[in-house]
Amino acid sequence: DAGVIQSPRHEVTEMGQEVTLRCKPISGHDYLFWYRQTMMRGLELLIYFNNNVPIDDSGMPEDRFSAKMPNASFSTLKIQPSEPRDSAVYFCASSYDTEAFFGQGTRLTVV
Amino acid sequence: KQEVTQIPAALSVPEGENLVLNCSFTDSAIYNLQWFRQDPGKGLTSLLLIQSSQREQTSGRLNASLDKSSGRSTLYIAASQPGDSATYLCAVQGVGKLTGGGNKLTFGTGTQLKVEL
């Protein structure tokens, strides 16, 4: 398996624009997590899914953020409208029972 | 609320030295603890996972221990090499309403390690 695949690797967008981050988990994994990493706050869990169902979205900062998992092999994290303070690295991770595996991340810059 | 602390925040050592990274957590009700490595601009690579019932795990020059009752874990790196330079993160997975891997990881802020020639 190629591991957790995220796209794009880098995204630069203007404030107010919609941003969509994508993730393909490892095949067979039934948990999917979205994390955000910043220098100030470290790694924070935004939301996670079990069998495509959102379980805990308490980490989603505000209504501008939304996440979906339409099937077991695909998830999106959308920010609309984007703001400069959303600039961070966004990681997707998947797991089956125990060990979590992370993607390479999407570095988002909102100018 | 689980809080994870890593000490030191940064560490610089000469090549060949043995070193210990520390991780402490406030809630001992954990499912497992995982150590990760993160290289600059890269994702997280899982190094070792210790189940709550285990005391330690070893992989090559790495050894991780877990003392759940005291809320502590250590990552021991033997004979450090420049290639070990990276940020090391520990994360604990809590016990919640879902079994297994279904509960979130709470991360520490990491230890930035530099191994010098």
Side-chain angles (χ1 to χ4, degrees):
Chain A
D1 201 308
V4 177
I5 300 173
Q6 291 186 245
S7 64
R9 291 294 310 276
H10 302 275
E11 176 81 36
V12 180
T13 190
E14 291 185 348
M15 182 174 63
Q17 296 298 306
E18 177 180 296
V19 176
T20 299
L21 311 181
R22 297 172 175 81
C23 175
K24 181 181 187 306
I26 293 172
S27 177
H29 283 189
D30 52 355
Y31 295 99
L32 183 138
F33 306 82
W34 282 101
Y35 286 87
R36 177 171 69 176
Q37 186 177 39
T38 61
M39 288 292 292
M40 291 295 295
R41 301 173 68 91
L43 270 160
E44 303 173 282
L45 177 68
L46 300 177
I47 184 171
Y48 76 95
F49 297 82
N50 174 226
N51 291 323
N52 314 336
V53 176
I55 301 301
D56 183 351
D57 65 355
S58 60
M60 296 285 261
E62 47 197 278
D63 292 346
R64 297 185 296 107
F65 286 69
S66 63
K68 294 182 180 179
M69 192 166 186
N71 57 63
S73 59
F74 184 66
S75 177
T76 60
L77 177 67
K78 185 177 293 186
I79 308 172
Q80 166 64 17
S82 58
E83 297 182 3
R85 61 194 169 116
D86 301 331
S87 297
V89 181
Y90 291 80
F91 287 104
C92 175
S94 69
S95 73
Y96 177 74
D97 191 39
T98 53
E99 192 172 5
F101 294 86
F102 280 70
Q104 291 297 297
T106 294
R107 182 173 295 276
L108 173 65
T109 303
V110 183
V111 298
Chain B
K1 177 186 174 185
Q2 179 75 270
E3 293 183 2
V4 182
T5 304
Q6 289 187 247
I7 295 173
L11 182 63
S12 183
V13 300
E15 182 180 12
E17 192 162 297
N18 302 326
L19 56 100
V20 175
L21 308 181
N22 297 292
C23 172
S24 61
F25 46 95
T26 55
D27 185 351
S28 62
I30 66 170
Y31 187 74
N32 63 47
L33 184 145
Q34 209 168 339
W35 281 93
F36 293 88
R37 167 184 174 142
Q38 185 174 28
D39 292 284
K42 303 290 187 181
L44 279 69
T45 301
S46 179
L47 297 173
L48 290 164
L49 181 146
I50 312 175
Q51 299 283 7
S52 62
S53 58
Q54 298 175 320
R55 298 283 291 182
E56 65 178 331
Q57 282 286 339
T58 298
S59 175
R61 294 182 294 108
L62 305 179
N63 175 275
S65 67
L66 173 64
D67 184 343
K68 198 174 70 166
S69 61
S70 67
R72 294 179 185 176
S73 176
T74 60
L75 179 66
Y76 176 82
I77 303 176
S80 58
Q81 303 170 357
D84 296 330
S85 299
T87 296
Y88 291 81
L89 295 149
C90 75
V92 296
Q93 189 170 49
V95 176
K97 59 183 177 180
L98 295 176
T99 60
N103 298 292
K104 66 180 185 180
L105 288 169
T106 302
F107 281 85
T109 49
T111 293
Q112 191 171 9
L113 172 66
K114 183 176 181 181
V115 181
E116 300 174 321
L117 289 169

